[in-house]
Each structure stands twice: as C-alpha cells, then as structure tokens.
Amino acid sequence: SQHGPLPYVVTAAWRPSRDPARLLQMSAGPRAAPAGIRDTAEYSRDLEALRGVAILLVVLFHADGIISGGHRALIGSKVSPLSAFVTAGHTGVTLFFVLSAFLLSRAFLVEANGGPRVNRVRFYERRAMRILPLYFVFVATAAVATSDAPAQWLRGLPYLFFANSIYGVATPLLPWSAVWWSLATEAQFYAVLPIVGSALGTPLGRRALVLAVPGYVLIYRALCTGELHLANGAAQVTLLNSLVGRAPAFAFGMAAAWFVQTYGVRVRAACVLRPWTSWAGDVALLAVAAALGFLLSQVVSRHVAEATLHWHAWHVAEAICWTAVVLLIQLVPGRLRLLICNRALSWIGLLSYSLYLVHLPVLYRILLPLHRSAPGGVGTWSLHVWTRVGFALVLCTAISAATYVCIERPFLVRKAKLST
C-alpha cells in the first residue's frame, strides 16, 4: 500500500491483545537505530533530532554570552520571542532533561504495569557506558589544561564522582566545567529513577509516592519564594540546579512517556483517520513555540541572578512547553515537524553529548579574541561574528565526530549488548 503501515495500525489499534509498544513503533515507521541502541528497543529519529535542537540552543546561548561579554545575562535586555531562543538558549538543557526522563522511564513504566523486571545492575552499567568514558576523558583533559603544575591535576577528582553537585567540594575548571552541573543532575536522576520505578509497581509504593508529591511541592515552593534560602547565593544556585530544583522537568518527561505508552497508539490512529489533525498539530506546535519564546523573552529581560534565584518557577512552565513539543512530535503527524525531524538535526543529535562537552572551550578559544581585535563589534551579531561562530560550530562538530567514533561508539556497541 502507498500508505505504508497505515492499514495495519488503524485496524490493530483496537486490538488490546497486541503489544502497544510494538504497535506504537510500527505506526511511526521503521527506524534504523545507531550504535548503543539494542535491536529490540524502540528508537525514534524524531527524538534524536530534538536532541540536535537542544544542543544547538545551548551552543548559540554560550556563543551569545561570550560575544556580549555576559552583558545580556548580567543586566537583562529586551529581546523578541524569536531571539530569546538564542539569548536564553540554556532552555536546551531543560529539553535534555525532559528527553532523558521520557526515554529512560519507559522500561520502568512497563515493569510497573506488570511487564518484565528491569535489571538494576544492567541499567547502571548501560548508563555508565553511555556517560562516563567520554566524560572522564574531558575531565582529565580539563584538569591538565587548566593546571600550572601536575599537583593541580587532582582538582578534577571530585568531578569524576559528580561531587560538583555539592557546593564548595569541586574547584571550577573553567571554561570546561561550566556545563558539567547538568551531568551531575542527570546522575541524581539515574539514582532516583529505579526507586521510583519500584514504587510504581506496588500499591504501597504508589501510595508513598502520592504522599511524597505534596511534600516536594511545598519544598519547591519554598525554594522558589525564597522561604528556603541558603546563606550563600552560589550554594543556592547549586541547590536549584540539582534534582531538587529541576525535578519538574524529569517528572513531566516521565508523564509524557506514560501517556505515549498508554494512549499513543489510539491517538496516532485517530490522527491518521482525521486529516484535519495535521494542520491542527501545526497550529499547536506554533502556539507552544510562541508561548515558550514569550516566556524566554521575559527571562532575558531580567538579569540572570534574579531569574535564577527569585523566579525559578519559570522552569516549570518551560518544562511543560518542551513536554508538549515532545508529545506533538511523537503523536501528531503535522507538516511543521519536518523542520525539526530531519536527517541533519538527527545527525547533530547523535553527536550532542560530544558537542555538549567540547563546545565551550572551543567557543572561548575562537570568540574571546573578538574583545581584543574588534571591540566595537562585541555584543552584536555582525557578519564577522557570524563567521567566527560558524567556524567554531564546524570545528566543534569535527571534534565531536572524532570523539564519537573513537571514544563513544566503542562503548555504545558494548552497551547495546547488555540486556536490561
């Protein structure tokens, strides 16, 4: 049939005896999984492309920060909702958090629903093979590159154990370590996820989670309002950027995974049967993007300290917007999704972890000379600045492709052989 798997999906969507995960995968069409994904696992090139969007936002945000000398972040500035995606591009980290929870929680949700049990040891082995090899290489490189003597190389030791999530334990290895806080937050999520998965599988555990949610909401509210405030502002930022402050993004990602597993097949089938859902999905995607852009423009209008310390709840609205984007991309066959779900962004998403670790030192090396050679152009995205940023992106991509092939991929191939 010229419609591919459509006849099977529409018919099978009402057969409860079929495996919903399998139907959901078939309704999205075949996908060739890259290294690190088991043959039996679901793989979505669309989600890989969203990773590409996330890393581009982060890279452009840091480039803008270097070009402006932190001017926009320090005193705030009025920008359009479209420009805010660059000047507040740190929102890409929240998208990473949502995607991480969406992908990793699926196996635990299946387990909680009576499916096969997730091997916790294998889960941590797979996470270690995915995160640690390249991360350890960059920590060692940063420790050497930022030291004046071999004795200072030990400054990288706390980062190997993600101790940078504890204020005052790790010495900054700038600019390399400026982005490592999010990896520590991810590690905290990895520690909590299996516990939550086990709790969801029992009535007592579910009741405990229901009782724990209001308690967390009260703590989060106290953090956002300043009622729970540490004496040191930097320590407060560390706490806000930990899992305590960023849990909503992971929670919404898990909720999206549950919705897709529970209702995904029926929603997709309904969208296939109703052609008007295509343009409705486009309108919804534009509306979410506009809402997110307006929110980010409001964040940029405040200086970074105020937005971080006194307006932290904006991350909840931000996470809701990105969760809506993930659901629309996964479930609604709109035409605008092609702007995101394409091979170029999927390829960038494949390199996103390497790009995340390598981009900041490269940007500093290439863009900082602008402050000396062309002070009049600093702060504005002139043609000269765009040329430098373009060259930095090409160089970052080349280095990331090399680190992916030489460091990431060998461990990803081994990771794929580990059954959960």
Side-chain angles (χ1 to χ4, degrees):
S1 169
Q2 65 180 7
H3 299 294
L6 171 60
Y8 175 79
V9 171
V10 173
T11 303
W14 286 273
R15 295 178 185 173
S17 61
R18 300 281 188 176
D19 179 14
R22 179 61 178 162
L23 287 177
L24 190 59
Q25 184 180 16
M26 292 187 66
S27 66
R31 292 290 186 269
I37 307 296
R38 290 174 291 115
D39 292 338
T40 57
E42 296 177 32
Y43 170 70
S44 171
R45 187 179 295 162
D46 301 345
L47 298 182
E48 199 80 87
L50 282 176
R51 280 200 188 99
V53 171
I55 190 58
L56 287 179
L57 289 174
V58 171
V59 171
L60 290 176
F61 163 68
H62 285 138
D64 181 72
I66 297 172
I67 291 166
S68 68
H71 176 77
R72 279 181 276 273
L74 290 174
I75 67 172
S77 60
K78 293 184 180 293
V79 297
S80 68
L82 185 60
S83 299
F85 280 96
V86 173
T87 51
H90 47 71
T91 187
V93 175
T94 300
L95 176 54
F96 276 128
F97 289 161
V98 171
L99 288 172
S100 181
F102 180 84
L103 291 167
L104 295 179
S105 65
R106 292 186 296 185
F108 293 97
L109 293 173
V110 170
E111 175 191 280
N113 199 35
R117 177 174 172 77
V118 178
N119 187 317
R120 268 57 174 174
V121 175
R122 285 285 186 263
F123 171 77
Y124 285 117
E125 286 180 351
R126 288 170 59 83
R127 287 297 88 206
M129 287 187 180
R130 178 66 187 97
I131 300 297
L132 297 184
L134 187 64
Y135 177 61
F136 282 177
V137 169
F138 273 88
V139 169
T141 303
V144 173
T146 59
S147 299
D148 298 322
Q152 297 179 339
W153 294 355
L154 293 177
R155 296 184 305 169
L157 193 59
Y159 291 100
L160 299 180
F161 302 95
F162 301 106
N164 52 314
S165 59
I166 305 173
Y167 174 73
V169 171
T171 302
L173 305 177
L174 299 177
W176 303 74
S177 64
V179 298
W180 294 350
W181 68 268
S182 63
L183 301 181
T185 304
E186 285 267 0
Q188 295 166 17
F189 172 67
Y190 300 158
V192 171
L193 178 60
I195 300 174
V196 174
S198 298
L200 288 173
T202 63
L204 180 61
R206 287 192 290 269
R207 284 195 291 269
L209 288 177
V210 169
L211 293 175
V213 169
Y216 170 76
V217 171
L218 290 176
I219 294 174
Y220 188 79
R221 179 182 178 277
L223 278 173
C224 294
T225 59
E227 297 174 20
L228 178 58
H229 186 76
L230 303 181
N232 187 293
Q236 183 78 0
V237 171
T238 301
L239 178 61
L240 289 170
N241 283 334
S242 69
L243 185 62
V244 176
R246 294 304 189 102
F250 294 103
F252 289 132
M254 292 182 66
W258 170 83
F259 184 86
V260 169
Q261 284 195 344
T262 306
Y263 301 106
V265 172
R266 280 178 283 178
V267 171
R268 276 185 176 159
C271 289
V272 168
L273 291 172
R274 296 167 177 81
W276 59 267
T277 58
S278 178
W279 62 261
D282 291 341
V283 171
L285 194 59
L286 284 174
V288 172
L292 181 58
F294 176 78
L295 175 66
L296 296 178
S297 67
Q298 298 303 304
V299 173
V300 176
S301 67
R302 303 165 180 245
H303 60 77
V304 66
E306 181 183 353
T308 301
L309 293 173
H310 306 300
W311 201 38
H312 188 77
W314 78 270
H315 286 295
V316 176
E318 171 196 37
I320 291 174
C321 289
W322 281 124
T323 303
V325 170
V326 171
L327 288 174
L328 287 170
I329 292 296
Q330 282 280 283
L331 300 178
V332 184
R335 292 178 176 84
L336 286 180
R337 66 194 298 275
L338 296 178
L339 297 176
I340 298 175
C341 306
N342 54 68
R343 290 184 179 275
L345 283 175
S346 295
W347 184 69
I348 294 174
L350 187 67
L351 304 179
S352 59
Y353 184 44
S354 294
L355 278 168
Y356 189 74
L357 293 176
V358 78
H359 78 275
L360 206 51
V362 172
L363 289 177
Y364 266 85
R365 176 69 66 177
I366 293 176
L367 298 182
L368 272 184
L370 288 173
H371 291 272
R372 297 189 295 269
S373 61
V378 173
T380 60
W381 283 75
S382 63
L383 179 60
H384 179 61
V385 169
W386 271 111
T387 302
R388 288 228 178 194
V389 172
F391 174 72
L393 285 173
V394 172
L395 182 58
C396 287
T397 303
I399 296 173
S400 298
T403 55
Y404 174 80
V405 171
C406 298
I407 302 174
E408 282 191 82
R409 196 176 190 282
F411 286 94
L412 290 175
V413 171
R414 295 183 62 186
K415 166 180 169 287
K417 296 177 181 178
L418 293 176
S419 172
T420 56

